[in-house]
Amino acid sequence: MNYLIMLGNEEYLTGLNVSENIEENTVSSSTKKEDVPKEFIFTNQSDALATLEEVRSLFNGDEGIRVVLDV
């Protein structure tokens, strides 16, 4: 069982760069599940949740950003 992070209803997290300079933070996404790189396919729920919180912090706690199961 794998965990993926979704940004909204149709976009999967494909990239995340968190910098000390908030203006340099970047998030990328794709509507295609095949575009998700290995580092964003989580096998451990706690790792997925930690990344989820990091991404949500960049979007002011948006609850539409969530972890989904990929079975």
Side-chain angles (χ1 to χ4, degrees), residues 5-43:
I5 295 177
M6 294 201 70
L7 311 175
N9 290 329
E10 298 181 14
E11 294 190 36
Y12 296 93
L13 177 69
T14 58
L16 175 64
N17 180 25
V18 178
S19 172
E20 288 185 23
N21 181 354
I22 196 164
E23 294 173 1
E24 295 177 5
N25 292 340
T26 58
V27 174
S28 58
S29 63
S30 175
T31 57
K32 298 177 184 176
K33 187 168 48 170
E34 310 77 57
D35 292 343
V36 178
K38 283 192 257 185
E39 64 261 25
F40 294 114
I41 300 173
F42 302 95
T43 56

